[in-house]
């Protein structure tokens, strides 16, 4: 194993955090840097101490691993984060290309596989992947397991929410626990899992409360905080750190709403984010807010929760229910109707002026663009901009190119808004 | 190559009439319903038992402009799905009384959404197929099947009886048995039928009533057995990858000094290798459920080793010299499947080649060059022993 890149990335992340923390005013931003760094420090500590690591794809519940005293680590986003922290985009992507991964699959998964080819990713005891998200999520975990020659478990997920689907998924979580028990000799601590699920329910409640608070004008939350919240939710699901994060953000947002303060000083345009923006930098969102007063006030795939509640007393069903109610799985799995209807509803509730769809290179979820765009135009009366970009490759479309597209759109929206108010 | 098998002519005639071939027209004229489907793992037996003609939708066997489809389904969706959509948007699938799909892949499920929103169709059916074959998955899938049958019955006002299901199972099993016979002939040193010709048969099978198809296929097998036709085998290849329909693609490969003797295609061996249980003491719907969960798995199914073992066994049974995987661009399930499968082929000493394709392509230009180099490599390996 070659841990040098991981260690370098964590060191860089710690350095960044130490550099940024004294300057940060927002308690949310401060907590983000602390908690994000702490997540990777825990994995590093596990590597050093030889603790068993469970590598898992997004949407696989870390609550299970915590309850079994394992250290969970997200596969795709952690390898992506390590690449961002070390700027080794080219090396990681060239490596996966050399292994036979073509360019026609998303760069997040190409980077993941590059890390596995080079043995950069921490050696896990097992890998758990899931048929959620997309075909690449379904398949790349198996390739990684092949490379590391470690046992893997595939969590099957139903097509869309139904009582039958909840039962089936709960059974799948039960099978996952059996798998982990068999592979590690550990036993599930069911009381601990229930405690974890109680925290998850609390995190979800806070998340939903924040979503409600964001309906205020001016919007009380920065665009980047929405995405930070989403990742914090998944890396800290069921933990005290997760509850801490959402409490801090809720308190900050609530205080702003009560005082009538916006996240940015001069909010002019309220935007709806329809899909994942490039994850290598939030510079774009900062620039839009700072230079044009254009703020994303809601995000379809990370802030639109389903309505059903999570009952921690039945932890497996609670995990299944959370899966179906969580924004991203709700949007990108199943029929596109929920995605479209939630977005239309958001335009009205959040008083949105325009929407942006980030068409990520090689992402088949782009198949929904036309339907969303037409629905938002016909049923919500707002225009949608489609920005071609890449989730992890900063060279595919530069920030400057994206800025040009966004600038034109902002101008159109501003004129449109001015016409309407006259 | 020897003269073409005469019994193939009806299939080739039907294929020329794509997408609204005579057997479909005749079925419609007699008042029958037609249900088109895309994706994979569609239990055609149930559609047939409901009195409908199942038609496996595909695109043209050529690269056509996909301007209309591109405006509805982003280009990151594979050109296989967009080719079907192009035909639908032009109205050439207007004869359909219903469309069905499964969450086979991202492309097929988003295509279903687009069809639902933009293309008028009397009925839409969606069946969720699990990705694994555990007892829980079987129970879940069985309930989904029952729900699907109920929705078919209510749409077409026709009861799907056990008798009709058994009849359909037997008919479709007969097709499977015939294909097994046909493939056994391909195991010979000098097979009597080429891979391109087999592709013609598959293409026609998707556009005609199954009982009629079985009669024609039986004739092909009889002729292939008796005509003393021995094709110069050259190097024995297997093809794999995204569902392919253009016989010219296969012919192009074969023209370079090889013969395609086997495949692991969704519209090929994956569909016929395993029979549905005909034990009439069981519930026919349960038999169908079990079949579709346990048959030759597509890349979407786990554990992947079951699929890989099946393919490697075929490679051994058909004594193949090399594997060519055609991956239509952006077909993620096959992209990842190929990465893992090719490593397993390598370990067995069998070379493999991945071709990045657009749907409908024939083996031309760059593809030919790459295949030619691949065949030269096989020759070299054989020469070195």
């Amino acid at each position: 194993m070659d841990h040098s890149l991981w260690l370098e990335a964590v060191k860089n992340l710690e350095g960044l955090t130490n550099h940024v923390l004294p300057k940060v005013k927002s308690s949310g931003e401060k907590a983000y840097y602390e908690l994000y760094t702490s997540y990777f420090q825990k994995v590093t500590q596990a590597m050093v101490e030889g603790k068993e690591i469970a590598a898992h794809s997004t949407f696989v519940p870390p609550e299970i691993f915590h309850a079994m005293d394992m250290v969970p680590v997200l596969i795709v986003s952690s390898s992506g984060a390590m690449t961002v922290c070390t700027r080794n985009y080219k090396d990681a992507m060239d490596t996966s290309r050399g292994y036979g991964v073509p360019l026609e699959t998303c760069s997040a998964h190409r980077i993941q596989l590059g890390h596995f080819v080079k043995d950069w990713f921490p050696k896990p005891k097992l890998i758990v992947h899931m048929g959620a998200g997309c075909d690449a999520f379904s398949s790349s975990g198996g390739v990684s397991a092949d490379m590391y020659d470690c046992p893997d478990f595939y969590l099957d997920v139903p097509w869309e929410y139904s009582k039958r689907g909840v039962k089936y998924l709960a059974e799948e979580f039960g099978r996952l626990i059996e798998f982990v028990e068999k592979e590690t000799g550990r036993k599930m601590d069911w009381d601990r899992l229930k405690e974890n699920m109680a925290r998850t329910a609390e995190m979800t409640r806070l998340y939903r409360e924040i979503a409600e608070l964001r309906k205020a004008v001016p919007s009380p939350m920065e665009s980047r905080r929405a995405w930070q919240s989403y990742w914090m939710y998944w890396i800290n699901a069921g933990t005290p750190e997760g509850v801490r994060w959402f409490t801090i953000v809720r308190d900050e947002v609530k205080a702003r709403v009560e005082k009538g303060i916006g996240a940015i000083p001069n909010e002019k345009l309220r935007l709806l984010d329809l899909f994942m923006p490039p994850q290598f930098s939030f510079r774009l969102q900062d620039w839009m807010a700072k230079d044009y007063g254009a703020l994303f006030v809601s995000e379809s795939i990370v802030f639109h929760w389903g309505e059903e509640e999570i009952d921690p007393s039945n932890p497996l069903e609670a995990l299944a229910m959370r899966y179906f109610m969580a924004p991203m799985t709700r949007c990108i799995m199943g029929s596109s109707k929920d995605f479209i209807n939630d977005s239309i509803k958001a335009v009205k509730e959040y008083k949105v002026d325009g929407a942006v769809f980030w068409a990520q290179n090689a992402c088949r979820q782009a198949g929904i663009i036309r339907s969303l765009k037409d629905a938002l135009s016909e049923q919500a009366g707002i225009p949608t901009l489609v920005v071609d970009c890449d989730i992890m490759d900063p060279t595919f479309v530069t920030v400057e190119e994206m800025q040009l597209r966004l600038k034109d759109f902002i101008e159109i929206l501003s004129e449109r808004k001015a016409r309407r108010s006259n | 190559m020897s003269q073409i098998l005469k019994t193939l002519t009806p299939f080739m005639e039907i294929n020329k009439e794509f997408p609204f071939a005579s057997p479909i027209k005749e079925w419609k004229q007699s008042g029958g319903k037609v249900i088109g489907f895309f994706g994979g793992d569609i239990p055609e037996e149930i559609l047939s038992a409901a009195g409908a003609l199942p038609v496996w939708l595909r695109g043209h066997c050529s690269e056509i402009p996909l301007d209309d489809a591109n405006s509805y389904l982003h280009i990151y969706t594979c050109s296989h799905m967009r080719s079907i959509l192009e035909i639908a948007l032009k109205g050439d699938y207007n004869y359909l009384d219903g469309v069905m799909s499964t969450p086979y892949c991202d492309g097929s499920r988003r295509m279903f959404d687009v069809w639902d929103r933009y293309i008028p169709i009397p009925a839409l059916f969606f069946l969720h197929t699990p990705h694994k074959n555990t007892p829980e998955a079987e129970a879940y899938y069985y309930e989904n099947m029952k729900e699907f049958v109920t929705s078919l019955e209510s749409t077409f006002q026709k009861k799907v009886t056990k008798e009709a299901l058994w009849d359909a199972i037997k008919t479709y099993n007969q097709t499977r048995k015939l294909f097994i016979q046909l493939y056994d002939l391909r195991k010979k040193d000098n097979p009597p039928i080429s891979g391109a010709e087999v592709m013609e048969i598959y293409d026609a099978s998707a556009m005609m009533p199954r009982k009629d198809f079985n009669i024609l296929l039986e004739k092909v097998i009889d002729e292939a057995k008796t005509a003393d036709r021995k094709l110069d085998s050259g190097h024995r290849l297997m093809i794999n990858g995204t569902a392919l329909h253009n016989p010219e693609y296969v012919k192009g490969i074969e023209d370079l000094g090889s013969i395609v003797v086997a495949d692991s295609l969704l519209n090929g061996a994956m569909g016929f290798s395993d029979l549905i249980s005909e034990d009439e003491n069981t519930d026919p719907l349960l038999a169908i459920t079990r079949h579709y969960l346990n048959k030759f798995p597509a890349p979407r199914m786990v554990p992947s080793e079951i699929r890989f073992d099946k393919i490697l066994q075929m490679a051994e049974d058909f004594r193949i010299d090399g594997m060519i995987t055609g991956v239509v661009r952006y077909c993620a399930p096959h992209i990842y499947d190929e990465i893992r499968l090719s490593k397993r082929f390598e370990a067995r000493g069998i070379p493999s080649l991945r071709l990045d394709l657009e749907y409908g392509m024939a083996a031309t230009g760059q593809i030919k060059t790459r295949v030619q180099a691949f065949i030269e490599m096989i020759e070299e390996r054989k020469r070195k022993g």
Side-chain angles (χ1 to χ4, degrees), chain A residues 44-295:
Chain A
T44 310
Q45 194 182 346
M47 286 157 66
V48 173
E49 292 173 2
K51 273 193 93 174
E52 285 182 341
I53 293 172
H56 64 101
S57 60
T58 318
F59 315 123
V60 171
E63 291 95 332
I64 287 179
F65 306 117
H66 286 305
M68 298 180 86
D69 208 21
M70 293 184 80
V71 178
V73 59
L74 277 162
I75 305 177
V76 187
S77 36
S78 297
S79 36
M82 294 305 101
T83 280
V84 172
C85 289
T86 52
R87 307 272 165 210
N88 81 335
Y89 301 97
K90 189 173 182 310
D91 197 2
M93 285 189 279
D94 284 354
T95 301
S96 69
R97 183 99 174 100
Y99 190 77
V101 188
L103 298 173
E104 286 87 8
T105 188
C106 89
S107 55
H109 294 275
R110 280 187 279 131
I111 285 175
Q112 169 196 326
L113 296 178
H115 279 247
F116 275 80
V117 174
K118 292 265 192 172
D119 283 350
W120 289 333
F121 199 82
K123 171 88 176 174
K125 177 76 180 169
L126 44 89
I127 290 180
V128 182
H129 46 125
M130 196 167 192
C134 62
D135 293 332
F137 264 115
S138 290
S139 314
S140 63
V143 184
S144 296
D146 263 10
M147 289 178 189
Y148 271 22
D149 194 23
C150 73
D152 68 314
F153 184 89
Y154 179 89
L155 254 169
D156 193 13
V157 288
W159 162 243
E160 57 192 356
Y161 173 60
S162 67
K163 279 187 181 167
R164 191 185 308 145
V166 171
K167 180 176 174 289
Y168 178 56
L169 186 51
E171 288 165 349
E172 276 292 285
F173 287 129
R175 277 188 167 268
L176 166 61
I177 291 167
E178 284 172 20
F179 165 79
V180 180
E181 286 181 337
K182 182 173 160 276
E183 291 297 333
T184 63
R186 294 165 186 274
K187 284 283 159 212
M188 168 54 77
D189 182 339
W190 291 95
D191 289 335
R192 203 167 156 195
L193 183 59
K194 279 184 193 170
E195 283 168 23
N196 293 348
M197 289 315 297
R199 289 191 200 99
T200 292
E202 175 63 2
M203 287 167 68
T204 308
R205 189 190 66 73
L206 290 163
Y207 204 145
R208 284 168 163 154
E209 191 183 338
I210 296 165
E212 279 301 308
L213 289 164
R214 293 181 75 197
K215 290 176 182 168
V217 180
S219 176
M221 198 166 100
E222 298 84 350
S223 304
R224 60 164 62 218
R225 194 81 70 249
W227 283 95
Q228 289 170 348
S229 294
Y230 188 71
W231 293 119
M232 280 294 128
Y233 186 89
W234 282 105
I235 66 176
N236 287 311
T239 64
E241 290 86 349
V243 176
R244 185 183 150 217
W245 163 264
F246 281 99
T247 306
I248 288 170
V249 175
R250 190 275 315 269
D251 290 349
E252 188 171 61
V253 168
K254 195 175 176 188
R256 283 177 180 166
V257 172
E258 283 168 358
K259 290 175 192 160
I261 300 169
I264 56 172
N266 190 11
E267 178 182 294
K268 288 178 184 161
L269 289 172
R270 297 170 64 85
L271 302 175
L272 176 63
D273 180 341
L274 296 170
F275 204 63
M276 289 187 93
Q279 295 291 301
F280 50 84
S281 164
F282 284 108
R283 263 172 58 204
L284 265 179
Q285 289 88 333
D286 295 345
W287 163 80
M288 288 165 72
K290 187 166 171 281
D291 287 19
Y292 296 95
L295 187 69

Side-chain angles (χ1 to χ4, degrees), chain A residues 275 357 359-360 363-370, chain B residues 72-74 76-77 110:
Chain A
F275 204 63
F357 193 103
Q360 298 294 349
C363 178
R364 282 153 294 276
Q365 299 299 337
I368 200 178
I369 290 177
R370 173 69 184 260
Chain B
Y72 287 91
L73 210 48
H74 198 278
Y76 297 148
T77 305
R110 287 298 169 229

Side-chain angles (χ1 to χ4, degrees), chain B residues 88-362:
Chain B
L89 289 166
K90 291 210 179 319
D92 292 340
Y93 276 138
N94 281 356
Y95 64 77
L96 296 173
D97 299 292
V99 158
M100 182 183 179
S101 189
T102 60
Y104 188 78
C105 60
D106 292 337
S108 70
R109 59 200 188 91
R110 287 298 169 229
M111 160 92 146
F112 187 83
D113 286 340
V114 168
W115 206 304
D116 186 13
R117 188 175 177 90
Y118 294 103
I119 306 172
I121 187 87
L124 282 161
F125 306 96
F126 199 88
L127 173 67
H128 178 240
T129 313
H131 292 77
K132 42 166 75 167
N133 59 2
T134 59
E136 292 85 357
E138 182 181 299
Y140 172 69
Y141 191 31
Y142 179 62
E143 291 303 317
N144 292 347
M145 285 272 191
K146 284 207 284 195
E147 203 170 80
F148 165 55
V149 169
T150 306
S151 90
L152 262 179
E153 288 176 334
S154 127
T155 305
F156 295 123
Q157 294 294 298
K158 184 178 164 44
K159 183 91 186 140
V160 176
T161 64
K162 281 192 174 183
E163 293 72 27
L165 282 171
W166 281 123
D167 184 51
I169 287 171
K170 285 171 186 165
T171 303
Y172 277 79
N173 268 352
Q174 178 60 14
T175 307
R176 295 181 178 109
K177 288 172 192 168
L178 289 169
F179 269 120
I180 291 169
Q181 282 184 44
L182 183 73
Y183 271 54
D184 276 343
L185 296 174
R186 301 173 80 188
K187 288 178 183 166
K188 291 182 174 182
D189 284 345
N190 293 96
I193 189 161
S194 71
E197 289 167 338
V198 173
M199 187 69 83
E200 292 278 4
I201 298 173
Y202 276 125
D203 286 356
S205 75
M207 295 189 287
M208 62 190 298
R210 199 40 72 96
K211 282 182 179 166
D212 298 345
F213 172 79
N214 287 347
I215 293 167
L216 294 179
L217 180 54
E218 225 170 320
K219 288 179 182 170
V220 173
I221 294 167
D222 285 345
E223 190 186 358
K225 275 181 184 168
T226 56
D228 194 32
R229 190 175 187 240
K230 290 178 181 171
L231 300 181
D232 180 12
S233 69
H235 304 291
R236 301 171 67 85
L237 299 181
M238 183 170 180
I239 53 171
N240 173 48
T242 317
L244 301 165
H245 298 98
N246 189 351
E248 288 300 314
Y249 163 74
V250 187
K251 189 173 178 299
I253 292 171
E254 293 182 318
D255 284 349
L256 294 169
S258 70
I259 184 160
V260 172
V261 293
D263 68 81
S264 49
L265 298 174
L266 181 63
N267 57 323
M270 233 192 270
F272 75 76
S273 298
D274 307 286
L275 302 182
I276 303 183
S277 163
E278 292 187 24
D279 176 3
E280 293 198 24
N281 293 317
T282 60
D283 170 1
L285 199 59
L286 187 59
I288 292 171
T289 302
R290 286 181 175 154
H291 170 77
Y292 281 94
L293 274 189
N294 293 287
K295 72 179 191 66
F296 194 145
R300 71 186 290 277
M301 296 296 282
V302 290
S304 308
E305 290 309 328
I306 298 173
R307 169 179 164 78
F308 298 149
D309 288 347
K310 279 238 181 204
I311 295 174
L312 290 165
Q313 186 59 52
M314 276 188 91
E316 196 176 317
D317 293 346
F318 287 82
R319 293 173 289 123
I320 70 155
D321 300 311
M323 161 75 108
I324 295 183
T325 300
V327 180
V328 170
R329 288 193 178 92
Y330 302 113
C331 174
H334 279 286
I335 285 175
Y336 288 100
D337 186 72
E338 191 275 336
I339 294 168
R340 301 178 73 190
L341 188 58
S342 61
K343 308 281 182 238
R344 284 157 176 81
F345 267 81
E346 246 169 55
R348 298 249 181 142
I350 304 171
S352 67
L353 170 72
R354 186 185 74 218
L355 295 172
D356 297 319
L357 307 171
E358 288 299 351
Y359 181 81
M361 277 173 105

